[in-house]
Amino acid sequence: QVQLVESGGGLVQPGGSLRLSCAASGSIFSLNAMGWYRQAPGKQRELVATITSGGRTNYADSVKGRFTISRDNAKNTVYLQMNSLKPEDTAVYYCNARKSYNIVQYYDYWGQGTQVTVSS
């Protein structure tokens, strides 16, 4: 089992910044990737950013140049630095961890989510 706990969400004005943290615990060995997803009311959950165990990153086009995903392996923590926030970034942000068992099988773990609200 893997447990993921997010923190750092809150209310921020447009143009502001927030840093989200996700601490992983439990059976954390061989996690192949971690990332952040978000879900706004009435919309599907969407990928924001991911980082693999090898350090490769991937971002949604909507956040490229504004968000940065990083990790601290010693602390088993992944971060999402969010700059130049826009109202459309408002959503519940979920931490994700993926464990791959073979070429075609994997399992995703999810945190409880943290609310990010960007508003004047």
Side-chain angles (χ1 to χ4, degrees):
Q1 296 292 322
V2 173
Q3 295 81 45
L4 304 174
V5 179
E6 304 101 331
S7 62
L11 175 64
V12 65
Q13 295 186 25
S17 298
L18 285 173
R19 189 178 78 158
L20 305 183
S21 299
C22 175
S25 62
S27 184
I28 60 176
F29 297 104
S30 299
L31 289 176
N32 302 102
M34 296 185 69
W36 292 93
Y37 291 70
R38 67 187 181 187
Q39 187 167 23
K43 296 187 178 295
Q44 293 183 318
R45 189 172 298 186
E46 65 176 353
L47 181 148
V48 177
T50 60
I51 184 166
T52 69
S53 59
R56 291 190 302 169
T57 58
N58 182 51
Y59 297 92
D61 288 341
S62 59
V63 307
K64 286 181 179 178
R66 300 189 297 121
F67 291 9
T68 302
I69 188 169
S70 61
R71 66 182 183 184
D72 186 334
N73 290 331
K75 297 181 179 180
N76 299 314
T77 300
V78 63
Y79 304 94
L80 184 68
Q81 179 66 48
M82 304 185 294
N83 298 326
S84 302
L85 283 161
K86 305 174 180 179
E88 49 263 47
D89 294 318
T90 296
V92 177
Y93 284 70
Y94 296 92
C95 183
N96 167 267
R98 174 165 290 183
K99 181 175 290 186
S100 297
Y101 295 98
N102 53 50
I103 296 175
V104 298
Q105 292 180 305
Y106 60 87
Y107 188 85
D108 283 340
Y109 298 89
W110 295 95
Q112 289 285 88
T114 185
Q115 177 71 47
V116 172
T117 302
V118 184
S119 176
S120 298

